[in-house]
Amino acid sequence: MNTFGRQFRVSIFGESHGNAIGVVMDGVRAGIPLCEEDFMADILRRKSGKKGTTPRIEADEPQILSGVFEGHTTGAPLTVIFRNANTRSGDYSLFRDIPRPGHADRCASIKWHDFNDPRGGGHFSGRITLPIVAAGTVAKKMLGICPRATVTRLGGVSRAEALAGRTDDGSLSDQQIWNDVLDAALRERDSVGGVVECRIDSVPVGLGEPFFDSVEALISHAIFSIPGVRGIEFGDGFAAADMKGSEHNDPYGDNDPDGSGPLPSKNGAGGVNGGISNGNPLVFRVAFKPTSSIGKAQRTYDFSKGMMTTLETPGRHDACFALRTPVIVEAMAALVLADLAAVASR
Amino acid sequence: MNTFGRQFRVSIFGESHGNAIGVVMDGVRAGIPLCEEDFMADILRRKSGKKGTTPRIEADEPQILSGVFEGHTTGAPLTVIFRNANTRSGDYSLFRDIPRPGHADRCASIKWHDFNDPRGGGHFSGRITLPIVAAGTVAKKMLGICPRATVTRLGGVSRAEALAGRTDDGSLSDQQIWNDVLDAALRERDSVGGVVECRIDSVPVGLGEPFFDSVEALISHAIFSIPGVRGIEFGDGFAAADMKGSEHNDPYGDNDPDGSGPLPSKNGAGGVNGGISNGNPLVFRVAFKPTSSIGKAQRTYDFSKGMMTTLETPGRHDACFALRTPVIVEAMAALVLADLAAVASR
Amino acid sequence: MNTFGRQFRVSIFGESHGNAIGVVMDGVRAGIPLCEEDFMADILRRKSGKKGTTPRIEADEPQILSGVFEGHTTGAPLTVIFRNANTRSGDYSLFRDIPRPGHADRCASIKWHDFNDPRGGGHFSGRITLPIVAAGTVAKKMLGICPRATVTRLGGVSRAEALAGRTDDGSLSDQQIWNDVLDAALRERDSVGGVVECRIDSVPVGLGEPFFDSVEALISHAIFSIPGVRGIEFGDGFAAADMKGSEHNDPYGDNDPDGSGPLPSKNGAGGVNGGISNGNPLVFRVAFKPTSSIGKAQRTYDFSKGMMTTLETPGRHDACFALRTPVIVEAMAALVLADLAAVASR
Amino acid sequence: MNTFGRQFRVSIFGESHGNAIGVVMDGVRAGIPLCEEDFMADILRRKSGKKGTTPRIEADEPQILSGVFEGHTTGAPLTVIFRNANTRSGDYSLFRDIPRPGHADRCASIKWHDFNDPRGGGHFSGRITLPIVAAGTVAKKMLGICPRATVTRLGGVSRAEALAGRTDDGSLSDQQIWNDVLDAALRERDSVGGVVECRIDSVPVGLGEPFFDSVEALISHAIFSIPGVRGIEFGDGFAAADMKGSEHNDPYGDNDPDGSGPLPSKNGAGGVNGGISNGNPLVFRVAFKPTSSIGKAQRTYDFSKGMMTTLETPGRHDACFALRTPVIVEAMAALVLADLAAVASR
């Protein structure tokens, strides 16, 4: 269902073109300083409006409905909502009959007997990741740890390749780095996918349980709840399947950050052994598919007329929504770790 | 914690060299024919004893403690245990001080203050997948659907490459197909990893929820609970990140298996749209790391003496435990689908 | 935590004098006709404003934020909020130092390190039962069954006693029936308690599980979540403890409502055997304490000054909040049954 | 389902005349000294064999299957089973056709389509409380707190009345105290009910949540999972409904056990305000019905022949099973508090 977490529990709600979307966070520690402004930095990172992202710009203004008093969390459920305003629902009315390839239009119709809200993707919309980003802001405050996610690959071009022959003194945005890739996709009214890598330093040793709440199990559960994810791998990931044990295993090395003895070196395991955090940075990569909605003509079926047809998806879409996902990936990782940290503190 | 599922709920327990390991299944429908013999086919598929798998052979004899009466499930919790017998616990005593690279020895010691059972990996042991296989047998009976998993890659060699120039009329076991790879690993006292692909036909449309209980989220959660998994991908997987929308999207095609209209063709999505099963076969791949325990010398640290040391892991191990995992992968997929089907039937 | 239910799951949030209170319902079936007006009948039953209830009257206007599209539930989370408006927060500022007898002021301060919102009881407020009533409205629509709760005793006077010598053709409100009791309490600036009995007809046979989700277990869990409950009993209740088996047991009788054989007669069990609904009406009684906030002087302690003191609780309160609880008791019963029915339908 | 608790989670399984009954405890802290002998004191208190209790005496010998290593809990799931041996299943075969008044025979048949194990009550049997008692032993070790429950009323006679004119220097067992009541019930082949009061000292302030996990909500949930409970009340209980606020409220008094300021005096609230423990002893009373199985003739229905009939329930039963429940009530209270304490420690 629409809830995640055991001790720090996040419930999301809302439809893309409904009255509002939002999140209820239960299990937030009392006494954390929090105001609406605190959400803005993360929200802005998710925002669209640059090349390769949808021109639909919402106000994305968070309203705290409950759980904060005099600038601090109260320990009661913390609710944040975002009103929907800038909607053009007319765009979406035909997808019940003529489902868009790559979208859930058809299986949602079957599952909910056509009662689901189809406007803007309804409850499936990537817009629902906005309250998740807000929950991530709170989770990071609870944790005192900041996951860091970056796009490492876009449209089949790695960051290194995209930067080849250019000067990136850190001033280039991802949109600028992959400018040519995005231009080509826009020209063709097509879209591209990407890979996001997330690294989390300073994870304490001992989070997670071997069965069934391993760190990887919970993070992958959360990450696959982001629309458009096709794969996840930790540490050496799929490459580990081609390695020998003597190559993949992390020998204990000379890195002893806190004097309690060395940690595994090399981090082929991505920071987790047996499902439990081992003191190394947590590292995982996420594969995002290309945006499903494209202007380019696609073959689909008209279920009302019972015949094949062709669709050029109208509406405003991201040419590469992966560009907007790093802060969402970080939020999901923070949700998991905040929950595990709450559980572990018993 | 050690429980998975909402309506069909599986709780596992046990340590590799303790009295017994087992599973309690709650939410099993009453009236399913079941006896202890029914578990044996799956158990045998998981069993070791061939080249590349550990020579430790347990009786692996299931005992039903509850939930079955006169050959049928009762609707009350169904408990199956396996007594541990063939244990050589002496092998494992030193790993508290000198942790094995790639194992959870060290982080388990920290997490449980050295009270965890270290013998045979304790509760981390791959042996704990045996009750999961038993639960899978029950899940498959509940579902009436059989996931099919196969090793597609081992030690960096694909099945096609391994079969090149040989006749495989289906009579070759995986051990035979990758015989050379396994021989080399054994010779070097090393280990190799592998990739397992799972395909599930006849999944009904409409299982799963967009947030947070998408089909991929739940399956990845379950799969990452198998020891040694490093990655998972659905459909086109990581390759999707390099594709264009027009390549990755599944256009609606002319396949109309039940006359209710066509399904998405091509199945780049792996059978899931928006987290919901779309009527196509569910397809995913799992990357297994090479077995961590190897005889080859590895650098580690002696935490009792405070110095670096070298370890040649003693004991009996799989050179490639991935060979034993297809039935476990199938079991995990079946657990998820049985739970989702129970939830969906409301 | 602030969530109840497994398949039909209700999460409540809000503080009495915060921005809003509300509820998220997950697992609502798609296609149920629903609009904001539908909530009003139940909301009005809970409303105060008559003798014996607080003069604070909120607008109590429900806003549906999500989960409804074109007048029907969508299957996505259904969120309803109520803005708080008519608040006089000044009344409550001193209770951190000088806790009101019978209230949670003191233990909330300790639990949340004084970060809890103390205004109007904060998250402890009886006002939080308003979203529960809204959830009950939805649950009743899902169930197609209406629990019926009535005040059977108030201020130590049973309904029969209160009606003695008067004509009640059904036109008398509870306030009128117990007019003298309420007058006396108001005169003394004191409060009185009451007993509410709930009866639910047409409960299908077979809801509930012997351990731990018996019908009584789940209903009592929900009922004790209503502020001010001191006890609950089913069927013969505490009187059963004084009975013999031959008196308390319900023999199978000649009542055979649907031709499938007789039901237990007499209903001493209150409609449940072994935790499972048996086809008889579900009957239970709830004891509500007198309102804690009274104008009459009470002994308490000034924790800031470290000395005993006397408190005449200011603010607007119910002389008997039990009068407002029947619709809340019904809502809680409906939440439980809607969840059990959803679970049972698998 | 058959699981209770969030952080300290107890799952029970088994049928009265099946192979074994047992419990899996998840979330047990590592390092608690524990061996099989530790369970015996509580098990003996539950045991039957004296006047008024069934002559069926099981060995009741606990076997630890997992979760203990070298005499200490490991932090992994702790499993304890009890083999069933002394069964006379023939006694129970007819209750499918001719349900016993007061039992779940009929609704279980309907719920599980006759696949439930009917022998000895199957999964409904009071015998399933044996693993709960074992879980209670562990919970009490985790908590360091011992609930104390006593029979206060039996067959309509209070302890004080039963002791009138006799010397009870603490040497009299409950069987001896209510000897006359039990003799009369046995003579008439009937049964009697009773009331058990439980008191728990030294509960820390701050356990529980106002919604929905109040202390009373969770304890009542657990207590109503004991077969045969008809009611529960906290503190003044049902009597509170007849009180005025000025009588029922607990003024802050001069009792200041730890120097941090006074606690509520008088304890009419039973140790809980707003669902949260307030530092006073937790006090609640439980009403147990008379044993349903009686030798005395009762009217019932023969569903196979379609006619009314008379049943003199054969088999071995407790004339008053309430005598055996105090240790079960304590166990349930301990389960709840151990879970809440684990949750609160975050």
Side-chain angles (χ1 to χ4, degrees):
Chain A
M1 294 164 94
N2 296 272
T3 298
F4 189 75
R6 190 143 52 103
Q7 286 282 69
F8 172 60
R9 200 182 283 173
V10 168
S11 300
I12 55 173
F13 58 84
E15 281 112 348
S16 183
H17 292 202
N19 283 332
I21 57 176
V23 59
V24 183
M25 292 163 255
D26 205 352
V28 178
R29 204 174 50 237
I32 300 174
L34 187 73
C35 66
E36 280 148 357
E37 182 57 31
D38 292 347
F39 294 105
M40 293 315 298
D42 284 344
I43 287 172
L44 286 172
R45 289 181 57 208
R46 182 190 163 282
K47 227 181 175 71
S48 60
K50 300 177 195 139
K51 180 181 290 185
T53 62
T54 171
R56 172 185 172 191
I57 305 187
E58 288 280 353
D60 286 359
E61 217 174 283
Q63 296 176 37
I64 297 175
L65 289 192
S66 69
V68 172
F69 174 60
E70 295 183 343
H72 293 81
T73 57
T74 63
L78 172 53
T79 307
V80 181
I81 66 168
F82 299 84
R83 294 277 172 186
N84 291 321
N86 184 7
T87 57
R88 287 199 211 156
S89 300
D91 292 342
Y92 294 91
S93 48
L94 78 162
F95 304 139
R96 281 229 162 108
D97 292 336
I98 305 177
R100 295 164 292 174
H103 273 283
D105 299 333
R106 176 72 182 153
C107 48
S109 274
I110 295 175
K111 183 179 180 79
W112 289 294
H113 310 290
D114 276 334
F115 285 110
N116 60 300
D117 180 350
R119 300 169 301 163
H123 187 54
F124 289 88
S125 172
R127 181 155 172 77
I128 314 299
T129 57
L130 177 57
I132 288 171
V133 166
T137 301
V138 175
K140 286 184 271 189
K141 281 181 172 248
M142 287 179 72
L143 268 176
I145 292 178
C146 267
R148 289 288 166 221
T150 49
V151 178
T152 57
R153 195 169 177 87
L154 197 147
V157 179
S158 73
R159 179 172 284 265
E161 291 164 347
L163 281 172
R166 296 164 67 178
T167 311
D168 175 20
D169 53 358
S171 66
L172 292 180
S173 71
D174 290 343
Q175 275 89 349
Q176 293 171 315
I177 291 172
W178 281 285
N179 182 66
D180 298 349
V181 172
L182 293 166
D183 269 349
L186 288 168
R187 227 167 19 236
E188 301 166 20
R189 300 169 70 209
D190 211 333
S191 63
V192 292
V195 174
V196 169
E197 179 170 294
C198 186
R199 176 191 167 102
I200 313 159
D201 290 306
S202 307
V203 177
V205 180
L207 300 187
E209 305 281 337
F211 302 94
F212 286 85
D213 289 349
S214 76
V215 169
E216 300 107 318
L218 293 173
I219 285 185
S220 67
H221 188 142
I223 291 294
F224 273 112
S225 302
I226 305 172
V229 172
R230 281 286 173 264
I232 188 170
E233 59 178 14
F234 289 80
D236 289 336
F238 273 84
D242 284 0
M243 291 177 165
K244 294 186 176 163
S246 57
E247 296 171 301
H248 176 63
N249 279 348
D250 299 322
Y252 281 81
D254 300 310
N255 53 336
D256 184 353
D258 60 1
S260 66
L263 295 174
S265 64
K266 192 175 73 61
N267 205 14
V272 190
N273 288 128
I276 313 236
S277 59
N278 67 13
N280 274 335
L282 197 57
V283 177
F284 63 91
R285 276 170 301 284
V286 184
F288 286 95
K289 70 173 186 179
T291 310
S292 296
S293 293
I294 54 177
K296 198 169 182 174
Q298 295 181 92
R299 196 165 53 107
T300 181
Y301 190 80
D302 186 326
F303 282 85
S304 67
K305 299 193 181 147
M307 53 179 287
M308 298 300 300
T309 185
T310 293
L311 179 72
E312 302 181 12
T313 310
R316 301 161 294 171
H317 308 288
D318 295 307
C320 182
F321 74 90
L323 287 168
R324 298 170 67 183
T325 61
V327 69
I328 306 168
V329 168
E330 293 171 11
M332 287 294 197
L335 297 189
V336 170
L337 294 179
D339 189 37
L340 283 175
V343 168
S345 68
R346 65 195 155 97
Chain B
M1 293 165 95
N2 296 271
T3 298
F4 188 75
R6 190 143 52 103
Q7 286 282 68
F8 172 59
R9 199 181 285 170
V10 168
S11 300
I12 55 173
F13 58 84
E15 282 113 347
S16 182
H17 292 201
N19 283 331
I21 57 177
V23 59
V24 183
M25 291 163 256
D26 206 353
V28 178
R29 204 173 54 236
I32 300 173
L34 187 72
C35 66
E36 280 149 357
E37 183 58 29
D38 292 347
F39 294 105
M40 293 315 300
D42 284 344
I43 288 172
L44 286 171
R45 288 181 57 207
R46 182 191 162 279
K47 227 181 175 74
S48 61
K50 301 180 194 135
K51 181 182 289 186
T53 62
T54 171
R56 172 185 172 190
I57 304 186
E58 290 279 352
D60 287 358
E61 215 174 286
Q63 295 177 38
I64 297 175
L65 289 192
S66 70
V68 172
F69 174 60
E70 295 183 344
H72 292 81
T73 57
T74 62
L78 172 53
T79 307
V80 181
I81 66 168
F82 300 84
R83 293 280 171 184
N84 292 320
N86 185 6
T87 56
R88 290 200 210 154
S89 301
D91 292 344
Y92 295 89
S93 48
L94 78 161
F95 304 139
R96 283 230 161 106
D97 293 336
I98 305 177
R100 294 165 293 174
H103 273 282
D105 299 332
R106 176 72 182 153
C107 48
S109 274
I110 294 173
K111 184 180 179 77
W112 289 294
H113 311 290
D114 276 334
F115 284 110
N116 61 301
D117 181 348
R119 299 169 303 164
H123 188 54
F124 289 87
S125 172
R127 182 156 172 75
I128 313 300
T129 58
L130 177 57
I132 288 170
V133 167
T137 301
V138 176
K140 286 183 272 189
K141 282 179 172 251
M142 288 179 72
L143 270 175
I145 292 178
C146 267
R148 288 289 166 219
T150 48
V151 178
T152 57
R153 195 171 176 85
L154 196 148
V157 179
S158 73
R159 179 173 284 265
E161 291 164 346
L163 281 173
R166 296 163 68 176
T167 312
D168 176 20
D169 54 357
S171 65
L172 292 181
S173 71
D174 290 343
Q175 276 89 352
Q176 292 171 317
I177 292 172
W178 282 284
N179 183 66
D180 298 350
V181 172
L182 293 167
D183 269 349
L186 288 169
R187 226 167 21 237
E188 301 167 20
R189 302 168 69 210
D190 211 333
S191 64
V192 291
V195 174
V196 169
E197 180 170 292
C198 186
R199 176 190 167 102
I200 312 160
D201 289 307
S202 307
V203 178
V205 180
L207 299 187
E209 305 281 337
F211 302 93
F212 285 86
D213 290 349
S214 76
V215 170
E216 302 106 317
L218 293 173
I219 285 186
S220 68
H221 188 142
I223 291 294
F224 273 113
S225 302
I226 305 173
V229 172
R230 282 287 173 267
I232 188 170
E233 58 178 16
F234 288 80
D236 289 336
F238 273 84
D242 285 1
M243 290 177 165
K244 293 184 176 164
S246 57
E247 296 170 299
H248 176 63
N249 280 349
D250 299 322
Y252 281 80
D254 301 311
N255 54 336
D256 185 353
D258 60 0
S260 65
L263 295 173
S265 65
K266 191 174 76 59
N267 205 13
V272 190
N273 287 130
I276 313 233
S277 59
N278 67 11
N280 274 334
L282 197 58
V283 178
F284 62 91
R285 278 170 301 284
V286 184
F288 286 96
K289 70 174 188 179
T291 310
S292 296
S293 293
I294 53 177
K296 199 169 182 174
Q298 294 180 97
R299 197 163 53 106
T300 182
Y301 190 79
D302 187 327
F303 283 85
S304 68
K305 297 193 181 145
M307 52 180 286
M308 298 301 297
T309 184
T310 293
L311 178 72
E312 302 181 10
T313 310
R316 301 162 294 170
H317 309 288
D318 295 307
C320 182
F321 75 90
L323 286 167
R324 300 171 65 183
T325 61
V327 70
I328 306 168
V329 168
E330 293 172 11
M332 286 297 198
L335 297 189
V336 169
L337 294 180
D339 189 36
L340 283 174
V343 167
S345 68
R346 64 192 156 98
Chain C
M1 292 163 98
N2 295 273
T3 298
F4 188 75
R6 191 145 49 103
Q7 287 283 68
F8 172 59
R9 201 182 282 172
V10 168
S11 299
I12 54 172
F13 58 84
E15 282 112 348
S16 183
H17 292 201
N19 282 332
I21 57 176
V23 60
V24 183
M25 291 163 257
D26 205 352
V28 177
R29 204 175 50 238
I32 301 173
L34 187 73
C35 65
E36 279 148 358
E37 182 58 29
D38 292 347
F39 294 105
M40 293 315 298
D42 284 344
I43 287 171
L44 287 171
R45 288 181 59 207
R46 182 191 163 280
K47 227 181 174 77
S48 59
K50 301 179 194 137
K51 180 181 289 183
T53 62
T54 171
R56 172 185 173 191
I57 303 186
E58 290 277 354
D60 287 356
E61 216 174 285
Q63 295 176 38
I64 297 175
L65 289 192
S66 70
V68 172
F69 175 61
E70 295 184 344
H72 293 81
T73 57
T74 63
L78 173 52
T79 307
V80 181
I81 66 167
F82 300 85
R83 295 276 172 187
N84 291 320
N86 185 7
T87 56
R88 288 199 210 155
S89 300
D91 293 341
Y92 294 89
S93 48
L94 78 162
F95 304 139
R96 282 231 161 106
D97 292 336
I98 306 178
R100 294 165 294 175
H103 274 282
D105 300 331
R106 176 71 182 153
C107 49
S109 275
I110 294 174
K111 183 178 180 78
W112 289 294
H113 311 290
D114 276 334
F115 285 110
N116 60 301
D117 181 348
R119 300 168 302 165
H123 187 54
F124 288 87
S125 172
R127 181 156 172 75
I128 314 299
T129 58
L130 176 57
I132 289 171
V133 167
T137 301
V138 176
K140 286 183 273 189
K141 282 179 172 251
M142 288 179 72
L143 269 176
I145 293 178
C146 267
R148 288 290 166 219
T150 49
V151 178
T152 57
R153 194 171 176 85
L154 196 148
V157 179
S158 73
R159 179 171 283 265
E161 290 165 348
L163 282 172
R166 298 163 68 177
T167 311
D168 176 21
D169 53 357
S171 65
L172 292 180
S173 70
D174 290 343
Q175 275 90 350
Q176 292 171 316
I177 291 171
W178 280 283
N179 183 65
D180 297 350
V181 172
L182 293 166
D183 270 349
L186 288 168
R187 229 170 16 239
E188 301 167 20
R189 303 170 66 210
D190 212 333
S191 63
V192 292
V195 174
V196 169
E197 180 170 293
C198 185
R199 176 191 168 102
I200 312 158
D201 289 306
S202 307
V203 177
V205 180
L207 300 186
E209 305 281 336
F211 302 93
F212 287 83
D213 290 348
S214 75
V215 170
E216 301 107 316
L218 292 173
I219 286 186
S220 67
H221 187 142
I223 291 293
F224 273 112
S225 302
I226 306 173
V229 172
R230 282 286 174 266
I232 188 170
E233 58 178 15
F234 288 80
D236 289 336
F238 273 84
D242 285 0
M243 290 176 165
K244 293 185 177 164
S246 57
E247 296 170 300
H248 175 64
N249 280 349
D250 299 322
Y252 281 80
D254 301 309
N255 54 334
D256 185 353
D258 60 3
S260 65
L263 295 173
S265 65
K266 192 174 74 60
N267 205 13
V272 190
N273 287 129
I276 313 233
S277 58
N278 66 12
N280 274 334
L282 198 57
V283 178
F284 62 90
R285 278 170 300 283
V286 184
F288 286 95
K289 69 174 189 179
T291 310
S292 294
S293 293
I294 54 176
K296 198 169 182 175
Q298 295 181 93
R299 196 164 55 106
T300 181
Y301 190 79
D302 187 326
F303 282 86
S304 68
K305 298 194 181 145
M307 51 180 287
M308 298 301 298
T309 184
T310 293
L311 178 72
E312 301 181 11
T313 310
R316 301 161 294 171
H317 309 287
D318 295 307
C320 182
F321 74 91
L323 287 168
R324 299 171 65 183
T325 61
V327 70
I328 306 168
V329 168
E330 293 171 11
M332 286 295 197
L335 297 190
V336 169
L337 293 180
D339 189 36
L340 283 175
V343 168
S345 68
R346 66 192 153 95
Chain D
M1 291 165 97
N2 296 272
T3 298
F4 189 76
R6 189 144 50 105
Q7 287 282 67
F8 172 59
R9 200 182 284 172
V10 168
S11 299
I12 56 173
F13 58 85
E15 282 113 347
S16 182
H17 293 201
N19 283 332
I21 56 175
V23 59
V24 183
M25 292 163 255
D26 206 352
V28 177
R29 204 173 53 236
I32 300 174
L34 186 73
C35 65
E36 280 149 357
E37 182 58 30
D38 292 348
F39 294 105
M40 293 315 299
D42 283 345
I43 288 172
L44 287 171
R45 288 180 58 207
R46 181 190 163 281
K47 227 183 174 73
S48 60
K50 299 176 196 142
K51 180 181 290 186
T53 62
T54 172
R56 172 185 172 190
I57 304 186
E58 289 278 353
D60 286 359
E61 216 174 285
Q63 296 176 39
I64 297 175
L65 289 193
S66 70
V68 173
F69 175 60
E70 295 184 345
H72 293 80
T73 57
T74 62
L78 172 53
T79 307
V80 181
I81 66 167
F82 300 84
R83 294 278 172 185
N84 291 321
N86 184 9
T87 57
R88 288 200 211 156
S89 300
D91 293 341
Y92 295 89
S93 48
L94 78 162
F95 304 140
R96 281 227 163 110
D97 293 335
I98 306 177
R100 294 164 292 174
H103 274 282
D105 300 332
R106 176 71 183 152
C107 48
S109 275
I110 295 173
K111 183 180 180 78
W112 289 292
H113 311 289
D114 277 334
F115 285 110
N116 60 301
D117 182 348
R119 299 168 301 164
H123 188 54
F124 289 86
S125 172
R127 181 155 173 76
I128 314 300
T129 57
L130 178 57
I132 288 171
V133 166
T137 301
V138 175
K140 286 183 273 189
K141 282 182 172 248
M142 288 178 73
L143 269 176
I145 293 179
C146 267
R148 289 289 165 219
T150 49
V151 179
T152 58
R153 194 169 176 86
L154 196 148
V157 179
S158 73
R159 180 172 283 264
E161 290 163 348
L163 281 172
R166 296 163 70 176
T167 313
D168 176 18
D169 52 356
S171 65
L172 292 181
S173 70
D174 290 343
Q175 276 88 350
Q176 292 171 318
I177 291 172
W178 281 284
N179 183 65
D180 297 350
V181 172
L182 293 166
D183 269 350
L186 287 169
R187 226 169 17 238
E188 301 166 19
R189 303 170 66 210
D190 212 332
S191 64
V192 292
V195 174
V196 168
E197 179 171 294
C198 185
R199 177 190 167 105
I200 312 159
D201 290 306
S202 308
V203 178
V205 180
L207 300 187
E209 305 281 336
F211 301 94
F212 286 81
D213 290 349
S214 76
V215 169
E216 301 107 317
L218 292 174
I219 286 186
S220 68
H221 187 143
I223 290 295
F224 273 112
S225 301
I226 306 173
V229 172
R230 281 286 174 267
I232 188 169
E233 57 178 16
F234 289 80
D236 289 337
F238 274 83
D242 284 0
M243 290 177 165
K244 293 183 178 166
S246 57
E247 295 170 301
H248 176 63
N249 279 348
D250 299 321
Y252 282 81
D254 301 310
N255 53 336
D256 185 353
D258 60 2
S260 66
L263 295 174
S265 65
K266 190 174 77 57
N267 204 14
V272 190
N273 288 130
I276 313 232
S277 60
N278 67 12
N280 275 335
L282 197 57
V283 178
F284 63 91
R285 276 170 302 284
V286 183
F288 286 95
K289 70 173 186 180
T291 310
S292 295
S293 293
I294 54 177
K296 200 170 181 174
Q298 296 181 94
R299 198 164 51 108
T300 181
Y301 190 79
D302 187 326
F303 282 85
S304 67
K305 298 192 182 146
M307 51 180 286
M308 298 301 298
T309 185
T310 294
L311 180 71
E312 303 182 10
T313 310
R316 301 160 294 171
H317 309 287
D318 296 307
C320 182
F321 73 90
L323 287 167
R324 298 171 65 182
T325 60
V327 70
I328 305 168
V329 168
E330 293 172 9
M332 287 295 198
L335 297 189
V336 170
L337 294 179
D339 189 36
L340 283 175
V343 167
S345 67
R346 61 191 160 101

